Amino acid sequence: MTTVATKPRNKPATADKIARAARRLLERDGVEGVTMRRVASAVGITPMALYRHYANRDGLLNVLADGGFAELSGRLDTLRLAGAPERQLVKVLDVFLDFAFDDPRMFELMFLTKREGARRFPEDFKSGNSPTANLFARVLTQGMETGHFAKDDVWEIVFETGALLQGLVMLYLGGRVSMRPEEFRAFCHRSFRRYIDGIRS
């Protein structure tokens, strides 16, 4: 009987193991729980060995945040946008809210945690380097081109509406809003529409 040799499965690279361990710590303990020492211990390596893969904590946090942005961008890519611009923008808003409800600690890392290397307004937005802002900007631009919205600075509006959403979510996740999730979503819709009404032509 002839046996067929099988190749051993490739073990995950150490950098991937580190990122997965950091993600677990993030989900369990929040951003403050992701320290180089704790991550190294979770992987079973020394802190010095960890620094061979990630120069510093910000570098590790940026990798985690990039993974979160990739996930959120994937959700946005599945949207079928049609109808009035307001309707399209609210659909985008709902994807952000779903993400914040599903993974609040990742949302905090992505949008609310100060870290070196994070994208900054306006240069990273205007150069198209913010994957989650580009779709919103496209809908706004189309609305301005069709006369639905007044001509204005698209990227400033993208940033302002993002700040509105992130501020509301921060207060909600921080326990400062006494609403059930569906009530909070409806409140965000109303707040969002009030802003959108202000930029209508």
Side-chain angles (χ1 to χ4, degrees), residues 6-31:
T6 58
K7 292 182 179 180
R9 292 181 180 177
N10 292 331
K11 292 184 178 180
T14 302
D16 293 336
K17 290 181 181 178
I18 292 169
R20 285 203 294 272
R23 177 71 183 261
R24 289 191 295 270
L25 286 170
L26 174 69
E27 291 172 350
R28 190 183 72 193
D29 301 323
V31 176

mmCIF file with all atom_site columns, all heavy atoms in Angstrom, residues 6-31:
data_model
loop_
_atom_site.group_PDB
_atom_site.id
_atom_site.type_symbol
_atom_site.label_atom_id
_atom_site.label_alt_id
_atom_site.label_comp_id
_atom_site.label_asym_id
_atom_site.label_entity_id
_atom_site.label_seq_id
_atom_site.pdbx_PDB_ins_code
_atom_site.Cartn_x
_atom_site.Cartn_y
_atom_site.Cartn_z
_atom_site.occupancy
_atom_site.B_iso_or_equiv
_atom_site.pdbx_formal_charge
_atom_site.auth_seq_id
_atom_site.auth_comp_id
_atom_site.auth_asym_id
_atom_site.auth_atom_id
_atom_site.pdbx_PDB_model_num
ATOM 1   N N   . THR A 1 6  ? 2.040   13.918 3.381  1.00 0.00 ? 6  THR A N   1
ATOM 2   C CA  . THR A 1 6  ? 1.312   15.180 3.471  1.00 0.00 ? 6  THR A CA  1
ATOM 3   C C   . THR A 1 6  ? 2.212   16.232 4.089  1.00 0.00 ? 6  THR A C   1
ATOM 4   O O   . THR A 1 6  ? 2.996   15.940 5.001  1.00 0.00 ? 6  THR A O   1
ATOM 5   C CB  . THR A 1 6  ? 0.039   15.038 4.330  1.00 0.00 ? 6  THR A CB  1
ATOM 6   O OG1 . THR A 1 6  ? 0.414   14.584 5.631  1.00 0.00 ? 6  THR A OG1 1
ATOM 7   C CG2 . THR A 1 6  ? -0.931  14.047 3.694  1.00 0.00 ? 6  THR A CG2 1
ATOM 8   N N   . LYS A 1 7  ? 2.088   17.428 3.572  1.00 0.00 ? 7  LYS A N   1
ATOM 9   C CA  . LYS A 1 7  ? 2.884   18.520 4.113  1.00 0.00 ? 7  LYS A CA  1
ATOM 10  C C   . LYS A 1 7  ? 2.321   18.961 5.450  1.00 0.00 ? 7  LYS A C   1
ATOM 11  O O   . LYS A 1 7  ? 1.101   19.039 5.614  1.00 0.00 ? 7  LYS A O   1
ATOM 12  C CB  . LYS A 1 7  ? 2.876   19.710 3.143  1.00 0.00 ? 7  LYS A CB  1
ATOM 13  C CG  . LYS A 1 7  ? 3.604   19.438 1.842  1.00 0.00 ? 7  LYS A CG  1
ATOM 14  C CD  . LYS A 1 7  ? 3.572   20.683 0.973  1.00 0.00 ? 7  LYS A CD  1
ATOM 15  C CE  . LYS A 1 7  ? 4.312   20.446 -0.334 1.00 0.00 ? 7  LYS A CE  1
ATOM 16  N NZ  . LYS A 1 7  ? 4.284   21.654 -1.197 1.00 0.00 ? 7  LYS A NZ  1
ATOM 17  N N   . PRO A 1 8  ? 3.171   19.214 6.401  1.00 0.00 ? 8  PRO A N   1
ATOM 18  C CA  . PRO A 1 8  ? 2.664   19.718 7.683  1.00 0.00 ? 8  PRO A CA  1
ATOM 19  C C   . PRO A 1 8  ? 2.021   21.075 7.496  1.00 0.00 ? 8  PRO A C   1
ATOM 20  O O   . PRO A 1 8  ? 2.456   21.876 6.668  1.00 0.00 ? 8  PRO A O   1
ATOM 21  C CB  . PRO A 1 8  ? 3.931   19.822 8.555  1.00 0.00 ? 8  PRO A CB  1
ATOM 22  C CG  . PRO A 1 8  ? 5.057   19.933 7.565  1.00 0.00 ? 8  PRO A CG  1
ATOM 23  C CD  . PRO A 1 8  ? 4.636   19.146 6.362  1.00 0.00 ? 8  PRO A CD  1
ATOM 24  N N   . ARG A 1 9  ? 0.962   21.299 8.245  1.00 0.00 ? 9  ARG A N   1
ATOM 25  C CA  . ARG A 1 9  ? 0.303   22.606 8.172  1.00 0.00 ? 9  ARG A CA  1
ATOM 26  C C   . ARG A 1 9  ? 1.236   23.685 8.688  1.00 0.00 ? 9  ARG A C   1
ATOM 27  O O   . ARG A 1 9  ? 1.926   23.504 9.693  1.00 0.00 ? 9  ARG A O   1
ATOM 28  C CB  . ARG A 1 9  ? -0.987  22.597 8.992  1.00 0.00 ? 9  ARG A CB  1
ATOM 29  C CG  . ARG A 1 9  ? -2.072  21.707 8.414  1.00 0.00 ? 9  ARG A CG  1
ATOM 30  C CD  . ARG A 1 9  ? -3.309  21.785 9.268  1.00 0.00 ? 9  ARG A CD  1
ATOM 31  N NE  . ARG A 1 9  ? -4.377  20.952 8.737  1.00 0.00 ? 9  ARG A NE  1
ATOM 32  C CZ  . ARG A 1 9  ? -5.556  20.786 9.323  1.00 0.00 ? 9  ARG A CZ  1
ATOM 33  N NH1 . ARG A 1 9  ? -5.806  21.402 10.456 1.00 0.00 ? 9  ARG A NH1 1
ATOM 34  N NH2 . ARG A 1 9  ? -6.476  20.013 8.774  1.00 0.00 ? 9  ARG A NH2 1
ATOM 35  N N   . ASN A 1 10 ? 1.240   24.789 7.989  1.00 0.00 ? 10 ASN A N   1
ATOM 36  C CA  . ASN A 1 10 ? 2.076   25.904 8.431  1.00 0.00 ? 10 ASN A CA  1
ATOM 37  C C   . ASN A 1 10 ? 1.551   26.467 9.741  1.00 0.00 ? 10 ASN A C   1
ATOM 38  O O   . ASN A 1 10 ? 0.354   26.741 9.867  1.00 0.00 ? 10 ASN A O   1
ATOM 39  C CB  . ASN A 1 10 ? 2.092   27.011 7.365  1.00 0.00 ? 10 ASN A CB  1
ATOM 40  C CG  . ASN A 1 10 ? 2.811   26.564 6.113  1.00 0.00 ? 10 ASN A CG  1
ATOM 41  O OD1 . ASN A 1 10 ? 3.704   25.732 6.173  1.00 0.00 ? 10 ASN A OD1 1
ATOM 42  N ND2 . ASN A 1 10 ? 2.416   27.117 4.974  1.00 0.00 ? 10 ASN A ND2 1
ATOM 43  N N   . LYS A 1 11 ? 2.426   26.612 10.678 1.00 0.00 ? 11 LYS A N   1
ATOM 44  C CA  . LYS A 1 11 ? 2.029   27.228 11.937 1.00 0.00 ? 11 LYS A CA  1
ATOM 45  C C   . LYS A 1 11 ? 1.913   28.731 11.737 1.00 0.00 ? 11 LYS A C   1
ATOM 46  O O   . LYS A 1 11 ? 2.648   29.311 10.955 1.00 0.00 ? 11 LYS A O   1
ATOM 47  C CB  . LYS A 1 11 ? 3.055   26.912 13.016 1.00 0.00 ? 11 LYS A CB  1
ATOM 48  C CG  . LYS A 1 11 ? 3.084   25.443 13.423 1.00 0.00 ? 11 LYS A CG  1
ATOM 49  C CD  . LYS A 1 11 ? 4.055   25.227 14.571 1.00 0.00 ? 11 LYS A CD  1
ATOM 50  C CE  . LYS A 1 11 ? 4.042   23.776 15.018 1.00 0.00 ? 11 LYS A CE  1
ATOM 51  N NZ  . LYS A 1 11 ? 4.970   23.538 16.144 1.00 0.00 ? 11 LYS A NZ  1
ATOM 52  N N   . PRO A 1 12 ? 0.968   29.354 12.454 1.00 0.00 ? 12 PRO A N   1
ATOM 53  C CA  . PRO A 1 12 ? 0.836   30.819 12.312 1.00 0.00 ? 12 PRO A CA  1
ATOM 54  C C   . PRO A 1 12 ? 2.140   31.518 12.660 1.00 0.00 ? 12 PRO A C   1
ATOM 55  O O   . PRO A 1 12 ? 2.855   31.109 13.580 1.00 0.00 ? 12 PRO A O   1
ATOM 56  C CB  . PRO A 1 12 ? -0.270  31.164 13.325 1.00 0.00 ? 12 PRO A CB  1
ATOM 57  C CG  . PRO A 1 12 ? -1.000  29.881 13.566 1.00 0.00 ? 12 PRO A CG  1
ATOM 58  C CD  . PRO A 1 12 ? 0.012   28.782 13.402 1.00 0.00 ? 12 PRO A CD  1
ATOM 59  N N   . ALA A 1 13 ? 2.477   32.517 11.904 1.00 0.00 ? 13 ALA A N   1
ATOM 60  C CA  . ALA A 1 13 ? 3.679   33.289 12.185 1.00 0.00 ? 13 ALA A CA  1
ATOM 61  C C   . ALA A 1 13 ? 3.554   33.950 13.548 1.00 0.00 ? 13 ALA A C   1
ATOM 62  O O   . ALA A 1 13 ? 2.448   34.226 14.028 1.00 0.00 ? 13 ALA A O   1
ATOM 63  C CB  . ALA A 1 13 ? 3.887   34.339 11.099 1.00 0.00 ? 13 ALA A CB  1
ATOM 64  N N   . THR A 1 14 ? 4.692   34.200 14.149 1.00 0.00 ? 14 THR A N   1
ATOM 65  C CA  . THR A 1 14 ? 4.681   34.786 15.495 1.00 0.00 ? 14 THR A CA  1
ATOM 66  C C   . THR A 1 14 ? 3.951   36.125 15.511 1.00 0.00 ? 14 THR A C   1
ATOM 67  O O   . THR A 1 14 ? 3.199   36.418 16.450 1.00 0.00 ? 14 THR A O   1
ATOM 68  C CB  . THR A 1 14 ? 6.123   34.965 16.002 1.00 0.00 ? 14 THR A CB  1
ATOM 69  O OG1 . THR A 1 14 ? 6.777   33.702 16.007 1.00 0.00 ? 14 THR A OG1 1
ATOM 70  C CG2 . THR A 1 14 ? 6.131   35.530 17.412 1.00 0.00 ? 14 THR A CG2 1
ATOM 71  N N   . ALA A 1 15 ? 4.148   36.933 14.467 1.00 0.00 ? 15 ALA A N   1
ATOM 72  C CA  . ALA A 1 15 ? 3.470   38.238 14.421 1.00 0.00 ? 15 ALA A CA  1
ATOM 73  C C   . ALA A 1 15 ? 1.961   38.064 14.427 1.00 0.00 ? 15 ALA A C   1
ATOM 74  O O   . ALA A 1 15 ? 1.229   38.843 15.059 1.00 0.00 ? 15 ALA A O   1
ATOM 75  C CB  . ALA A 1 15 ? 3.907   39.012 13.184 1.00 0.00 ? 15 ALA A CB  1
ATOM 76  N N   . ASP A 1 16 ? 1.452   37.028 13.738 1.00 0.00 ? 16 ASP A N   1
ATOM 77  C CA  . ASP A 1 16 ? 0.012   36.770 13.732 1.00 0.00 ? 16 ASP A CA  1
ATOM 78  C C   . ASP A 1 16 ? -0.465  36.305 15.103 1.00 0.00 ? 16 ASP A C   1
ATOM 79  O O   . ASP A 1 16 ? -1.554  36.683 15.561 1.00 0.00 ? 16 ASP A O   1
ATOM 80  C CB  . ASP A 1 16 ? -0.335  35.707 12.681 1.00 0.00 ? 16 ASP A CB  1
ATOM 81  C CG  . ASP A 1 16 ? -0.088  36.197 11.269 1.00 0.00 ? 16 ASP A CG  1
ATOM 82  O OD1 . ASP A 1 16 ? -0.106  37.429 11.058 1.00 0.00 ? 16 ASP A OD1 1
ATOM 83  O OD2 . ASP A 1 16 ? 0.126   35.356 10.375 1.00 0.00 ? 16 ASP A OD2 1
ATOM 84  N N   . LYS A 1 17 ? 0.332   35.463 15.752 1.00 0.00 ? 17 LYS A N   1
ATOM 85  C CA  . LYS A 1 17 ? -0.022  35.019 17.101 1.00 0.00 ? 17 LYS A CA  1
ATOM 86  C C   . LYS A 1 17 ? -0.110  36.210 18.054 1.00 0.00 ? 17 LYS A C   1
ATOM 87  O O   . LYS A 1 17 ? -1.007  36.291 18.896 1.00 0.00 ? 17 LYS A O   1
ATOM 88  C CB  . LYS A 1 17 ? 1.018   34.025 17.621 1.00 0.00 ? 17 LYS A CB  1
ATOM 89  C CG  . LYS A 1 17 ? 1.009   32.675 16.931 1.00 0.00 ? 17 LYS A CG  1
ATOM 90  C CD  . LYS A 1 17 ? 2.080   31.783 17.559 1.00 0.00 ? 17 LYS A CD  1
ATOM 91  C CE  . LYS A 1 17 ? 2.134   30.421 16.898 1.00 0.00 ? 17 LYS A CE  1
ATOM 92  N NZ  . LYS A 1 17 ? 3.203   29.561 17.477 1.00 0.00 ? 17 LYS A NZ  1
ATOM 93  N N   . ILE A 1 18 ? 0.837   37.114 17.913 1.00 0.00 ? 18 ILE A N   1
ATOM 94  C CA  . ILE A 1 18 ? 0.849   38.309 18.765 1.00 0.00 ? 18 ILE A CA  1
ATOM 95  C C   . ILE A 1 18 ? -0.415  39.134 18.527 1.00 0.00 ? 18 ILE A C   1
ATOM 96  O O   . ILE A 1 18 ? -1.078  39.569 19.475 1.00 0.00 ? 18 ILE A O   1
ATOM 97  C CB  . ILE A 1 18 ? 2.109   39.148 18.490 1.00 0.00 ? 18 ILE A CB  1
ATOM 98  C CG1 . ILE A 1 18 ? 3.354   38.400 18.956 1.00 0.00 ? 18 ILE A CG1 1
ATOM 99  C CG2 . ILE A 1 18 ? 2.017   40.510 19.163 1.00 0.00 ? 18 ILE A CG2 1
ATOM 100 C CD1 . ILE A 1 18 ? 4.665   39.015 18.497 1.00 0.00 ? 18 ILE A CD1 1
ATOM 101 N N   . ALA A 1 19 ? -0.758  39.348 17.255 1.00 0.00 ? 19 ALA A N   1
ATOM 102 C CA  . ALA A 1 19 ? -1.936  40.154 16.932 1.00 0.00 ? 19 ALA A CA  1
ATOM 103 C C   . ALA A 1 19 ? -3.203  39.498 17.467 1.00 0.00 ? 19 ALA A C   1
ATOM 104 O O   . ALA A 1 19 ? -4.095  40.182 17.992 1.00 0.00 ? 19 ALA A O   1
ATOM 105 C CB  . ALA A 1 19 ? -2.028  40.360 15.423 1.00 0.00 ? 19 ALA A CB  1
ATOM 106 N N   . ARG A 1 20 ? -3.301  38.173 17.368 1.00 0.00 ? 20 ARG A N   1
ATOM 107 C CA  . ARG A 1 20 ? -4.503  37.492 17.862 1.00 0.00 ? 20 ARG A CA  1
ATOM 108 C C   . ARG A 1 20 ? -4.597  37.571 19.381 1.00 0.00 ? 20 ARG A C   1
ATOM 109 O O   . ARG A 1 20 ? -5.680  37.763 19.936 1.00 0.00 ? 20 ARG A O   1
ATOM 110 C CB  . ARG A 1 20 ? -4.516  36.040 17.384 1.00 0.00 ? 20 ARG A CB  1
ATOM 111 C CG  . ARG A 1 20 ? -4.873  35.889 15.922 1.00 0.00 ? 20 ARG A CG  1
ATOM 112 C CD  . ARG A 1 20 ? -5.416  34.490 15.633 1.00 0.00 ? 20 ARG A CD  1
ATOM 113 N NE  . ARG A 1 20 ? -4.378  33.488 15.831 1.00 0.00 ? 20 ARG A NE  1
ATOM 114 C CZ  . ARG A 1 20 ? -3.523  33.119 14.880 1.00 0.00 ? 20 ARG A CZ  1
ATOM 115 N NH1 . ARG A 1 20 ? -3.577  33.659 13.676 1.00 0.00 ? 20 ARG A NH1 1
ATOM 116 N NH2 . ARG A 1 20 ? -2.627  32.186 15.121 1.00 0.00 ? 20 ARG A NH2 1
ATOM 117 N N   . ALA A 1 21 ? -3.463  37.420 20.045 1.00 0.00 ? 21 ALA A N   1
ATOM 118 C CA  . ALA A 1 21 ? -3.462  37.534 21.507 1.00 0.00 ? 21 ALA A CA  1
ATOM 119 C C   . ALA A 1 21 ? -3.849  38.943 21.937 1.00 0.00 ? 21 ALA A C   1
ATOM 120 O O   . ALA A 1 21 ? -4.610  39.128 22.899 1.00 0.00 ? 21 ALA A O   1
ATOM 121 C CB  . ALA A 1 21 ? -2.085  37.161 22.056 1.00 0.00 ? 21 ALA A CB  1
ATOM 122 N N   . ALA A 1 22 ? -3.332  39.936 21.225 1.00 0.00 ? 22 ALA A N   1
ATOM 123 C CA  . ALA A 1 22 ? -3.672  41.327 21.544 1.00 0.00 ? 22 ALA A CA  1
ATOM 124 C C   . ALA A 1 22 ? -5.153  41.573 21.324 1.00 0.00 ? 22 ALA A C   1
ATOM 125 O O   . ALA A 1 22 ? -5.800  42.287 22.116 1.00 0.00 ? 22 ALA A O   1
ATOM 126 C CB  . ALA A 1 22 ? -2.836  42.276 20.694 1.00 0.00 ? 22 ALA A CB  1
ATOM 127 N N   . ARG A 1 23 ? -5.714  40.991 20.277 1.00 0.00 ? 23 ARG A N   1
ATOM 128 C CA  . ARG A 1 23 ? -7.149  41.166 20.002 1.00 0.00 ? 23 ARG A CA  1
ATOM 129 C C   . ARG A 1 23 ? -7.986  40.560 21.125 1.00 0.00 ? 23 ARG A C   1
ATOM 130 O O   . ARG A 1 23 ? -8.986  41.147 21.552 1.00 0.00 ? 23 ARG A O   1
ATOM 131 C CB  . ARG A 1 23 ? -7.498  40.528 18.656 1.00 0.00 ? 23 ARG A CB  1
ATOM 132 C CG  . ARG A 1 23 ? -8.986  40.570 18.279 1.00 0.00 ? 23 ARG A CG  1
ATOM 133 C CD  . ARG A 1 23 ? -9.426  41.966 17.930 1.00 0.00 ? 23 ARG A CD  1
ATOM 134 N NE  . ARG A 1 23 ? -10.849 42.040 17.644 1.00 0.00 ? 23 ARG A NE  1
ATOM 135 C CZ  . ARG A 1 23 ? -11.357 42.045 16.404 1.00 0.00 ? 23 ARG A CZ  1
ATOM 136 N NH1 . ARG A 1 23 ? -10.550 41.965 15.344 1.00 0.00 ? 23 ARG A NH1 1
ATOM 137 N NH2 . ARG A 1 23 ? -12.654 42.150 16.211 1.00 0.00 ? 23 ARG A NH2 1
ATOM 138 N N   . ARG A 1 24 ? -7.583  39.402 21.628 1.00 0.00 ? 24 ARG A N   1
ATOM 139 C CA  . ARG A 1 24 ? -8.315  38.784 22.738 1.00 0.00 ? 24 ARG A CA  1
ATOM 140 C C   . ARG A 1 24 ? -8.256  39.657 23.991 1.00 0.00 ? 24 ARG A C   1
ATOM 141 O O   . ARG A 1 24 ? -9.268  39.821 24.695 1.00 0.00 ? 24 ARG A O   1
ATOM 142 C CB  . ARG A 1 24 ? -7.770  37.385 23.025 1.00 0.00 ? 24 ARG A CB  1
ATOM 143 C CG  . ARG A 1 24 ? -8.108  36.353 21.953 1.00 0.00 ? 24 ARG A CG  1
ATOM 144 C CD  . ARG A 1 24 ? -7.793  34.944 22.416 1.00 0.00 ? 24 ARG A CD  1
ATOM 145 N NE  . ARG A 1 24 ? -6.363  34.732 22.639 1.00 0.00 ? 24 ARG A NE  1
ATOM 146 C CZ  . ARG A 1 24 ? -5.519  34.316 21.718 1.00 0.00 ? 24 ARG A CZ  1
ATOM 147 N NH1 . ARG A 1 24 ? -5.951  34.074 20.482 1.00 0.00 ? 24 ARG A NH1 1
ATOM 148 N NH2 . ARG A 1 24 ? -4.239  34.130 22.008 1.00 0.00 ? 24 ARG A NH2 1
ATOM 149 N N   . LEU A 1 25 ? -7.089  40.214 24.262 1.00 0.00 ? 25 LEU A N   1
ATOM 150 C CA  . LEU A 1 25 ? -6.965  41.104 25.414 1.00 0.00 ? 25 LEU A CA  1
ATOM 151 C C   . LEU A 1 25 ? -7.822  42.350 25.236 1.00 0.00 ? 25 LEU A C   1
ATOM 152 O O   . LEU A 1 25 ? -8.444  42.837 26.191 1.00 0.00 ? 25 LEU A O   1
ATOM 153 C CB  . LEU A 1 25 ? -5.500  41.501 25.625 1.00 0.00 ? 25 LEU A CB  1
ATOM 154 C CG  . LEU A 1 25 ? -4.577  40.420 26.202 1.00 0.00 ? 25 LEU A CG  1
ATOM 155 C CD1 . LEU A 1 25 ? -3.126  40.860 26.119 1.00 0.00 ? 25 LEU A CD1 1
ATOM 156 C CD2 . LEU A 1 25 ? -4.963  40.113 27.646 1.00 0.00 ? 25 LEU A CD2 1
ATOM 157 N N   . LEU A 1 26 ? -7.840  42.870 24.015 1.00 0.00 ? 26 LEU A N   1
ATOM 158 C CA  . LEU A 1 26 ? -8.668  44.044 23.737 1.00 0.00 ? 26 LEU A CA  1
ATOM 159 C C   . LEU A 1 26 ? -10.131 43.745 24.010 1.00 0.00 ? 26 LEU A C   1
ATOM 160 O O   . LEU A 1 26 ? -10.827 44.537 24.664 1.00 0.00 ? 26 LEU A O   1
ATOM 161 C CB  . LEU A 1 26 ? -8.473  44.475 22.283 1.00 0.00 ? 26 LEU A CB  1
ATOM 162 C CG  . LEU A 1 26 ? -9.371  45.615 21.790 1.00 0.00 ? 26 LEU A CG  1
ATOM 163 C CD1 . LEU A 1 26 ? -8.981  46.926 22.461 1.00 0.00 ? 26 LEU A CD1 1
ATOM 164 C CD2 . LEU A 1 26 ? -9.276  45.753 20.267 1.00 0.00 ? 26 LEU A CD2 1
ATOM 165 N N   . GLU A 1 27 ? -10.605 42.626 23.508 1.00 0.00 ? 27 GLU A N   1
ATOM 166 C CA  . GLU A 1 27 ? -12.014 42.275 23.667 1.00 0.00 ? 27 GLU A CA  1
ATOM 167 C C   . GLU A 1 27 ? -12.369 42.036 25.130 1.00 0.00 ? 27 GLU A C   1
ATOM 168 O O   . GLU A 1 27 ? -13.475 42.339 25.558 1.00 0.00 ? 27 GLU A O   1
ATOM 169 C CB  . GLU A 1 27 ? -12.337 41.034 22.835 1.00 0.00 ? 27 GLU A CB  1
ATOM 170 C CG  . GLU A 1 27 ? -12.280 41.297 21.329 1.00 0.00 ? 27 GLU A CG  1
ATOM 171 C CD  . GLU A 1 27 ? -12.414 40.033 20.507 1.00 0.00 ? 27 GLU A CD  1
ATOM 172 O OE1 . GLU A 1 27 ? -12.367 38.927 21.098 1.00 0.00 ? 27 GLU A OE1 1
ATOM 173 O OE2 . GLU A 1 27 ? -12.554 40.148 19.273 1.00 0.00 ? 27 GLU A OE2 1
ATOM 174 N N   . ARG A 1 28 ? -11.410 41.510 25.885 1.00 0.00 ? 28 ARG A N   1
ATOM 175 C CA  . ARG A 1 28 ? -11.693 41.183 27.285 1.00 0.00 ? 28 ARG A CA  1
ATOM 176 C C   . ARG A 1 28 ? -11.506 42.375 28.218 1.00 0.00 ? 28 ARG A C   1
ATOM 177 O O   . ARG A 1 28 ? -12.330 42.621 29.105 1.00 0.00 ? 28 ARG A O   1
ATOM 178 C CB  . ARG A 1 28 ? -10.767 40.038 27.740 1.00 0.00 ? 28 ARG A CB  1
ATOM 179 C CG  . ARG A 1 28 ? -11.142 39.455 29.099 1.00 0.00 ? 28 ARG A CG  1
ATOM 180 C CD  . ARG A 1 28 ? -10.155 38.391 29.504 1.00 0.00 ? 28 ARG A CD  1
ATOM 181 N NE  . ARG A 1 28 ? -8.866  38.980 29.874 1.00 0.00 ? 28 ARG A NE  1
ATOM 182 C CZ  . ARG A 1 28 ? -7.749  38.272 30.022 1.00 0.00 ? 28 ARG A CZ  1
ATOM 183 N NH1 . ARG A 1 28 ? -7.740  36.977 29.772 1.00 0.00 ? 28 ARG A NH1 1
ATOM 184 N NH2 . ARG A 1 28 ? -6.626  38.884 30.377 1.00 0.00 ? 28 ARG A NH2 1
ATOM 185 N N   . ASP A 1 29 ? -10.426 43.138 28.010 1.00 0.00 ? 29 ASP A N   1
ATOM 186 C CA  . ASP A 1 29 ? -10.051 44.160 28.990 1.00 0.00 ? 29 ASP A CA  1
ATOM 187 C C   . ASP A 1 29 ? -10.028 45.584 28.445 1.00 0.00 ? 29 ASP A C   1
ATOM 188 O O   . ASP A 1 29 ? -9.701  46.512 29.174 1.00 0.00 ? 29 ASP A O   1
ATOM 189 C CB  . ASP A 1 29 ? -8.670  43.835 29.567 1.00 0.00 ? 29 ASP A CB  1
ATOM 190 C CG  . ASP A 1 29 ? -8.645  42.466 30.244 1.00 0.00 ? 29 ASP A CG  1
ATOM 191 O OD1 . ASP A 1 29 ? -9.647  42.096 30.885 1.00 0.00 ? 29 ASP A OD1 1
ATOM 192 O OD2 . ASP A 1 29 ? -7.624  41.768 30.122 1.00 0.00 ? 29 ASP A OD2 1
ATOM 193 N N   . GLY A 1 30 ? -10.325 45.759 27.158 1.00 0.00 ? 30 GLY A N   1
ATOM 194 C CA  . GLY A 1 30 ? -10.289 47.087 26.575 1.00 0.00 ? 30 GLY A CA  1
ATOM 195 C C   . GLY A 1 30 ? -8.880  47.495 26.188 1.00 0.00 ? 30 GLY A C   1
ATOM 196 O O   . GLY A 1 30 ? -7.909  46.752 26.365 1.00 0.00 ? 30 GLY A O   1
ATOM 197 N N   . VAL A 1 31 ? -8.772  48.720 25.670 1.00 0.00 ? 31 VAL A N   1
ATOM 198 C CA  . VAL A 1 31 ? -7.494  49.203 25.157 1.00 0.00 ? 31 VAL A CA  1
ATOM 199 C C   . VAL A 1 31 ? -6.418  49.211 26.239 1.00 0.00 ? 31 VAL A C   1
ATOM 200 O O   . VAL A 1 31 ? -5.265  48.845 25.991 1.00 0.00 ? 31 VAL A O   1
ATOM 201 C CB  . VAL A 1 31 ? -7.650  50.620 24.564 1.00 0.00 ? 31 VAL A CB  1
ATOM 202 C CG1 . VAL A 1 31 ? -6.309  51.169 24.120 1.00 0.00 ? 31 VAL A CG1 1
ATOM 203 C CG2 . VAL A 1 31 ? -8.626  50.610 23.390 1.00 0.00 ? 31 VAL A CG2 1
#
